[in-house]
Amino acid sequence: MNICVFLSAADLDDRYTRPAREFARLLGKGGHTLVWGGSDVGLMKIVADGVEEAGGRLLGVSVEFLAAKARPGVDEMVVAKDLAERKRLLLEKADAVVVMVGGTGTLDEATEILELKKHGHTEKPVVLLNTAGFYDGLKEQFRRMEDEGFLPRPLTELVFFAEEPVGALAYLEESLGVA
């Protein structure tokens, strides 16, 4: 599988990096390809390192203004002209999406794929990896949106909330029939 991971490029605490490393190792051991923002810094670097060390492939999609931070020596690197093109390319190249901890950019990417799913423009599985309860508030907000009629599809059809990396990958493999 080509698994797109939306995540932060920030240097983060171990409570966030440890599960990210674990997911990366599982992804690589499964022979999957990481499709990510291409940066060689922070959490993005940690996940790319873990996938590569475990035998997975790396497909980066950087953007012109961040090209200096792009990881060298990957299997494939594409440089988009702007963030909108980057998001489009990331989603185009992915079979599935995992949202890890991140800031506004990660949230923007997550809501775009959910909006596409909501309107039936993609059926790619989406997992929100709720590391250390990071997305508890967002999960509550999504449930409120569903309860109050803002979502035309059940929340469970849009996103799967995983508390642990092993559950995230298992859901993706099951969803796509990969064993």
Side-chain angles (χ1 to χ4, degrees):
M1 284 186 293
N2 285 357
I3 301 174
C4 176
V5 177
F6 294 133
L7 71 166
S8 177
D11 292 317
L12 300 169
D13 185 88
D14 184 61
R15 67 187 164 152
Y16 299 123
T17 59
R18 183 192 42 73
R21 266 192 203 94
E22 181 184 339
F23 182 79
R25 185 182 55 76
L26 292 168
L27 195 151
K29 271 181 63 177
H32 303 300
T33 298
L34 171 67
V35 180
W36 94 117
S39 290
D40 201 30
V41 295
L43 197 60
M44 283 194 187
K45 178 181 178 14
I46 287 169
V47 170
D49 287 348
V51 169
E52 190 171 54
E53 288 164 11
R57 292 185 74 250
L58 299 178
L59 193 169
V61 182
S62 189
V63 65
E64 286 177 3
F65 71 88
L66 294 175
K69 294 182 180 182
R71 184 183 183 99
V74 299
D75 296 293
E76 183 181 346
M77 180 65 73
V78 178
V79 179
K81 67 180 179 347
D82 57 31
L83 291 172
E85 182 184 36
R86 180 194 210 186
K87 274 192 300 191
R88 183 183 57 75
L89 290 168
L90 284 164
L91 294 174
E92 224 172 69
K93 295 177 178 295
D95 300 313
V97 174
V98 173
V99 181
M100 289 188 179
V101 296
T104 55
T106 303
L107 192 56
D108 172 60
E109 292 160 339
T111 54
E112 177 144 340
I113 185 70
L114 294 177
E115 190 68 8
L116 290 169
K117 276 192 86 167
K118 182 180 94 174
H119 292 291
H121 292 286
T122 185
E123 290 303 319
K124 294 176 186 185
V126 177
V127 173
L128 205 145
L129 186 53
N130 191 25
T131 302
F134 186 80
Y135 287 117
D136 284 350
L138 186 59
K139 189 176 184 180
E140 185 178 327
Q141 184 62 48
F142 283 149
R143 284 189 179 138
R144 182 174 179 183
M145 288 174 184
E146 180 179 41
D147 292 346
E148 295 188 19
F150 290 94
L151 302 179
R153 296 175 67 176
L155 184 58
T156 55
E157 289 182 15
L158 296 177
V159 63
F160 176 78
F161 288 90
E163 301 300 319
E164 295 295 329
V166 68
L169 190 60
Y171 174 81
L172 295 178
E173 289 177 340
E174 183 180 316
S175 294
L176 294 172
V178 177

